[in-house]
Amino acid sequence: MNSEAKTIFEKIWDGHVVKRVAGYPDAVFIDRHFIHEVTSPQAFDGLRKRGIKVFNTSRTTATADHNVPTKDQHLPIKEALSRHQVETLRTNCKEFGVELYDLGHPYQGIVHIIGPELGLTLPGMTIVCGDSHTSTHGAFGSVAFGIGTSEVEQVLATQCILQGKPKTMKIEINGKLGKGVVSKDIILYIISKISASGATGYFVEYGGDAIRSLSMEARMTICNMSIEMGARGGLIAPDDTTFNYIKGRKFAPQGKAFDEAVERWKGLVSDTGAKYDVELKFDAGDIAPMITYGTNPGMGMKVTDRIPTVNELKELSEANSFKKSLEYMGLEQGTALLGKPVDYVFIGSCTNARIEDLRSVAQIVKGKKKAANVEVWVIPGSKQVEAQAKEEGLDKVFEAAGFELRSPGCSACLGMNEDKVPPGKYCISTSNRNFEGRQGPKSRTFLASPLSAAAAAITGKVTDVREIL
Amino acid sequence: MSKDKFTTLKSTAVPIATENIDTDQIIPARFLKATTREGFGDNLFRDWRYDANNQPIADFVLNNPTYSGKVLVGGKNFGCGSSREHAAWAIYDFGFRVVVSSFFADIFKNNALNNGLLPVVVPDSFLKKLFDAISKDPKTLIDVNLPEQTISFNNEKEKFEINIYKKECLINGYDDIDYLLSLTKEIKEFDLTH
């Protein structure tokens, strides 16, 4: 065994350490910094107070996504505080010379969707953003993680972050995925197995042939939800699927520079014999369409299963939190969710609002109509996704089905704008969090794949998508 | 830039014995619209604290005058979910200086440390004893000593871990940018070659 063998994570991390002092967190250089309106204003204020500039504006990209309306984006934002926050981003980007893809810009969209589609996200990079779902970018074989606003200020000021090196975890999924099972089901399955805190303190590498067979869009969905099991981030070693996705993208290396980059990127694999602190293996054949029933993403099950009872919990100490969660959801332990009527269907978010997600929804609903009891929102992840969907005629499919295709933003994933699920209502959602009140005060969320969400939109209830495929 | 310093604290505590308290509960997204760091304490645990008509929910611990103090005690996996630093700001702004749990989410822990809020990680068994003691006597005093890295109450005492650099920062009121700015020359060289 080679003692020098390194994981891909260690290669990237160690290759970006500017200064390592024993007992101190590493000073890690950041290649790409994404910012948005909600977690940046206080960081810019900090720079002003210190009288310093942004260290390297060419490594910083801004967009407005969390707090923007998804209707009438060409008009001034109605809500005063939201308008002020987006205007503050504008003023800050102008003052500090940061590129901003503002509302109306053809590149605007959810920050974790636009980075990859613009070729700003590349293998081997260190990437941060003041948003926990920055882990999405790990799908390209990069070390990407979410940070707080004080850290946003650090990166703006110094292009570095002080950070303890996480432990490493490998999660392998081998075998063939069954009909109707997609990447969202894989990640909901993993989280249901290891819990919402099962990977806290770790950086995850996903591997195995079931992961290798996935498209970039599908890989992004998996890496995106790494944070939902507490992981610092999650990545997948780059391969031809990655290189083909990047080729020709706006800010990616072009021509000869691209070919040279690919040669470098091919070295981004974990060495044979590289050690992980934890290694887990799962069989793709055991994964079915998944759904959550509780108020954290670890509370998930196969859509055909029933909700566990208190006695079936792995840890009895969790009984009170479990009961509180089911009470919030208005559900009974030991019962099935299949057939449970839903009120809203939300197709969107940095987890599942890419063109492939919209295509898979369209494939299910084409020629059908939504059930009368549901309201369906389709929020594309970016202006580019929106344009592509229209070019492919998906907008017509959605319109005919009675779905509302709106403009890009984070929308009802976190209910910061006006897209909120009303109190007590059930929403089947392609987003990433089913926390209490996440989609609006007292809203109740079932997390599921775009296929399962589309199926529920048609039937008006929790459905096993395999029955209509 | 200097922050409030932290060395020792003796205080009663406010217990929330719920596991997986996510940052959406600590401060819901609709209250993240401010562009300054102040005032978030008003909306700390907003939807557990107030009903739909903005009336205080009597049985929630922050509305119960029996419990008060500068120490917040939470269940396992405290601060999971969104990276919003507003959660740490809200807890600090409300008046807490220490959060005790058996397990913290990574980003929340960093955010707390960056704002002079001390996260104290204790074993599950110690946490249970602490919840029991507060429930029996809400006036139970909790002693937190950062230089010694100890937390104690009644006859119970436990050591806690903290990164030595972060400990120095808290004791002296330093922040990370002060340190990183001292590396500017090395960072510039790195930037040019990568």
Side-chain angles (χ1 to χ4, degrees):
Chain A
M1 189 148 327
N2 181 0
S3 62
E4 293 299 305
K6 279 187 170 187
T7 64
I8 171 176
F9 167 75
E10 289 166 326
K11 289 180 187 182
I12 299 171
W13 184 280
D14 293 347
H16 284 80
V17 172
V18 175
K19 184 102 175 171
R20 178 170 281 167
V21 178
Y24 277 45
D26 288 339
V28 180
F29 188 82
I30 298 302
D31 295 314
R32 183 73 64 211
H33 187 194
F34 294 105
I35 60 172
H36 62 85
E37 75 277 24
V38 178
T39 59
S40 68
Q42 296 86 352
F44 281 113
D45 271 350
L47 295 189
R48 266 185 219 106
K49 278 181 197 150
R50 290 173 204 263
I52 47 182
K53 295 179 174 150
V54 171
F55 186 92
N56 185 342
T57 51
S58 73
R59 293 188 184 274
T60 316
T61 307
T63 194
D65 59 358
H66 278 64
N67 191 9
V68 301
T70 53
K71 280 182 171 177
D72 298 327
Q73 284 188 345
H74 60 289
L75 298 176
I77 299 174
K78 283 185 202 149
E79 213 260 331
L81 286 174
S82 302
R83 188 172 64 243
H84 177 67
Q85 201 168 46
V86 173
E87 280 169 0
T88 303
L89 179 70
R90 255 169 228 155
T91 315
N92 285 333
C93 287
K94 200 168 175 198
E95 180 184 336
F96 287 88
V98 172
E99 181 83 54
L100 167 66
Y101 300 130
D102 202 350
L103 285 181
H105 192 285
Y107 297 161
Q108 180 267 340
I110 304 176
V111 65
H112 309 308
I113 298 211
I114 68 166
E117 75 184 6
L118 290 170
L120 289 165
T121 298
L122 298 173
M125 278 184 165
T126 47
I127 300 173
V128 294
C129 173
D131 185 275
S132 62
H133 293 107
T134 308
S135 57
T136 313
H137 306 262
F140 291 79
S142 64
V143 167
F145 53 92
I147 57 177
T149 297
S150 295
E151 294 170 321
V152 170
E153 187 183 336
Q154 277 177 44
V155 180
L156 288 173
T158 70
Q159 206 58 43
C160 275
I161 190 160
L162 266 186
Q163 202 84 175
K165 189 177 174 181
K167 292 178 281 187
T168 54
M169 179 184 286
K170 180 157 197 195
I171 299 180
E172 259 190 57
I173 314 282
N174 289 300
K176 201 168 158 21
L177 291 170
K179 188 176 89 166
V181 180
V182 293
S183 69
K184 181 65 164 285
D185 301 307
I186 299 179
I187 190 64
L188 286 174
Y189 174 89
I190 296 171
I191 303 167
S192 77
K193 291 287 178 192
I194 74 171
S195 91
S197 60
T200 302
Y202 294 88
F203 206 98
V204 177
E205 177 181 346
Y206 301 95
D209 51 22
I211 299 288
R212 286 278 144 233
S213 70
L214 299 173
S215 68
M216 286 316 296
E217 284 86 348
R219 292 179 189 186
M220 283 188 253
T221 301
I222 290 188
C223 290
N224 172 276
M225 288 189 72
S226 302
I227 181 69
E228 307 311 335
M229 49 189 176
R232 206 67 191 82
L235 61 72
I236 296 169
D239 57 16
D240 287 341
T241 305
T242 323
F243 309 144
N244 290 336
Y245 178 97
I246 295 168
K247 194 171 185 176
R249 298 219 169 237
K250 174 85 180 167
F251 297 108
Q254 308 289 332
K256 192 161 164 276
F258 176 77
D259 297 336
E260 286 167 4
V262 168
E263 286 313 307
R264 279 199 312 277
W265 295 338
K266 282 180 179 168
L268 292 168
V269 287
S270 291
D271 298 328
T272 312
K275 293 263 195 212
Y276 298 86
D277 296 294
V278 173
E279 290 188 56
L280 301 172
K281 280 189 185 180
F282 298 102
D283 173 12
D286 187 45
I287 307 174
M290 297 288 292
I291 191 161
T292 61
Y293 55 84
T295 54
N296 75 59
M299 300 174 82
M301 64 180 188
K302 293 174 184 173
V303 69
T304 48
D305 279 352
R306 49 175 189 75
I307 299 165
T309 61
V310 168
N311 297 331
E312 289 165 334
L313 294 179
K314 278 182 219 151
E315 309 229 4
L316 272 179
S317 63
E318 287 172 6
N320 284 339
S321 299
F322 177 81
K323 283 186 212 157
K324 182 172 177 279
S325 181
L326 289 193
E327 191 185 328
Y328 179 86
M329 290 296 292
L331 299 171
E332 296 291 330
Q333 51 177 312
T335 60
L337 273 186
L338 268 185
K340 171 95 189 164
V342 297
D343 308 294
Y344 286 79
V345 177
F346 173 61
I347 292 157
S349 87
C350 57
T351 312
N352 281 124
R354 298 180 184 82
I355 189 65
E356 197 176 86
D357 300 313
L358 268 48
R359 281 182 196 138
S360 71
V361 170
Q363 182 203 331
I364 300 266
V365 306
K366 191 165 190 179
K368 300 193 179 89
K369 282 216 176 319
K370 74 170 182 72
N373 59 309
V374 292
E375 192 167 320
V376 187
W377 301 332
V378 184
I379 317 290
S382 69
K383 289 304 277 185
Q384 292 205 69
V385 170
E386 183 186 12
Q388 180 73 22
K390 286 182 175 164
E391 197 182 308
E392 296 180 18
L394 305 185
D395 56 329
K396 299 283 187 301
V397 174
F398 295 143
E399 199 184 324
F403 292 12
E404 206 179 332
L405 177 67
R406 296 197 184 173
S407 297
C410 299
S411 179
C413 172
L414 81 165
M416 200 171 166
N417 70 354
E418 47 281 279
D419 304 346
K420 291 182 178 69
V421 174
K425 296 293 181 188
Y426 290 96
C427 177
I428 187 158
S429 176
T430 67
S431 57
N432 40 59
R433 287 183 176 140
N434 50 353
F435 296 151
E436 284 184 29
R438 173 78 180 181
Q439 299 196 282
K442 303 287 173 206
S443 61
R444 292 158 163 172
T445 304
F446 298 130
L447 299 177
S449 76
L451 287 182
S452 296
I458 300 304
T459 62
K461 56 196 180 191
V462 174
T463 301
D464 183 349
V465 66
R466 293 170 296 194
E467 285 173 11
I468 62 168
L469 277 176
Chain B
M1 211 170 277
S2 75
K3 307 222 181 245
D4 291 346
K5 296 175 184 178
F6 188 105
T7 46
T8 60
L9 178 77
K10 192 168 193 168
S11 168
T12 50
V14 177
I16 307 182
T18 303
E19 301 189 336
N20 301 308
I21 294 175
D22 59 78
T23 53
D24 273 82
Q25 306 317 311
I26 298 171
I27 182 97
R30 61 188 192 280
F31 299 109
L32 306 184
K33 297 181 183 184
T35 53
T36 61
R37 289 176 189 241
E38 293 76 33
F40 288 101
D42 292 346
N43 294 311
L44 176 66
F45 289 108
R46 178 77 200 196
D47 293 337
W48 289 0
R49 211 166 132 197
Y50 298 99
D51 66 15
N53 301 315
N54 294 324
Q55 294 306 307
I57 298 169
D59 65 357
F60 183 60
V61 69
L62 292 188
N63 296 324
N64 183 344
T66 312
Y67 300 100
S68 62
K70 293 184 172 183
V71 178
L72 178 64
V73 187
K76 192 169 90 179
N77 199 24
F78 189 93
C80 59
S82 160
S83 60
R84 61 190 69 165
E85 191 163 315
H86 313 66
W89 298 337
I91 293 171
Y92 193 94
D93 191 55
F94 189 86
F96 293 111
R97 293 297 174 265
V98 172
V99 189
V100 183
S101 179
S102 56
F103 197 91
F104 288 95
D106 289 330
I107 305 178
F108 176 81
K109 189 155 70 177
N110 281 350
N111 288 341
L113 288 165
N114 284 336
N115 287 281
L117 178 69
L118 177 65
V120 174
V121 188
V122 297
D124 281 318
S125 54
F126 183 90
L127 187 69
K128 190 174 179 304
K129 283 182 205 159
L130 182 54
F131 276 130
D132 289 347
I134 300 166
S135 136
K136 212 166 160 189
D137 177 10
K139 297 288 165 233
T140 302
L141 283 174
I142 291 115
D143 227 320
V144 180
N145 186 317
L146 180 58
E148 298 288 320
Q149 294 180 224
T150 57
I151 175 167
S152 47
F153 66 95
N154 301 343
N155 293 319
E156 303 288 339
K157 189 171 189 174
E158 191 69 44
K159 279 281 267 188
F160 63 86
E161 293 298 317
I162 182 169
N163 177 275
I164 55 160
Y165 161 80
K166 286 293 182 187
K167 180 175 165 179
E168 281 172 29
C169 284
L170 282 173
I171 290 174
N172 298 305
Y174 299 153
D175 78 7
D176 289 352
I177 298 182
D178 300 330
Y179 173 66
L180 285 171
L181 284 173
S182 75
L183 303 178
T184 302
K185 189 165 163 281
E186 284 112 309
I187 300 170
K188 279 192 171 150
E189 278 168 23
F190 196 99
D191 192 19
L192 287 173
T193 52
H194 286 77

